Amino acid sequence: MPTKTLRIPTPDGRADAFAAFPDDGERHPGVLMYADAFGIRPALREMARELAGHGYYVLVPNFFYRQGPAPVVELSEHIGEEARPALVAQLMPLIEAHTAERTVNDADAYLEFLTAQPEVGSGPVAVTGYCIGGLLAVRTAAAHPRQVAALAVFHGPVGADGPDALERITARVHFGHAETDLSTEALGELNAALDAAGVDYTSEIYPGTVHGFTMADTDTYNAAALRRHWDHLVPLLDRTLVND
């Protein structure tokens, strides 16, 4: 599986990024993958390679590039619960500084770069995100309704920008929520907003999960839920993206 370390030009500098894609010399649909707050690291590279193996060019940008190359905080090989509070405390100012305006400006650059790669086809793209990356994915899809045909978010604050953002989404959508992130009542409210916005979606709570369940290098990891994530994500992309 070919991989590349890249630098994406943006108005505020160059964002380091990781890409994985099939080794067949063909052009493939593009997928913009937003990491969780811990950023690009071996676990995320493995997820990108896994998705690329299904026939996609996967680009994972370091959205905290303004603070330096990934990882922007020191990470151990395994992120245990005892280390999480201190790491989150370090990252929270970066998250708060990453405004909606910054997200959209960066998304413009990321998508322009992604679709210009010689291994990427000319059709629509998908955006997927994890944790805070899920909010960035929603904002990207809302800002680029003609270009983003599929949107998938896992354990992310998808409704943080309110119903107006959902109304701008034209992509097919899957939201996979952690039990600890969303109550059944809140899920009902979110899904009602998606219905009102006319979004083509599935949105569900993954049983027995806590926030971060897809991340294999953390204590919150849930192997069954990660498989469920792939079982939703890959078919969504397969039925939505066309390789032109």
Side-chain angles (χ1 to χ4, degrees), residues 145-185:
R146 295 183 179 180
Q147 190 171 15
V148 178
L151 167 66
V153 175
F154 303 91
H155 48 83
V158 295
D161 289 345
D164 289 349
L166 301 178
E167 291 174 357
R168 297 195 298 272
I169 293 172
T170 59
R172 288 180 172 175
V173 172
H174 175 72
F175 292 152
H177 313 283
E179 277 190 350
T180 57
D181 286 344
L182 208 64
S183 66
T184 54
E185 293 78 12

Side-chain angles (χ1 to χ4, degrees), residues 45-96:
R45 294 186 183 96
E46 179 56 34
M47 292 178 76
R49 285 191 289 264
E50 173 77 15
L51 186 54
H54 292 277
Y56 297 96
Y57 184 105
V58 184
L59 178 68
V60 189
N62 168 27
F63 50 83
F64 290 146
Y65 67 90
R66 293 172 181 85
Q67 286 74 36
V72 295
V73 296
E74 185 176 350
L75 299 173
S76 59
E77 185 175 339
H78 182 83
I79 303 169
E81 283 307 292
E82 69 285 350
R84 181 181 290 270
L87 290 172
V88 171
Q90 288 180 266
L91 291 166
M92 193 55 65
L94 281 61
I95 293 171
E96 293 172 349

Side-chain angles (χ1 to χ4, degrees), residues 3 17 25 34 200:
T3 62
Y34 287 109
D200 179 358

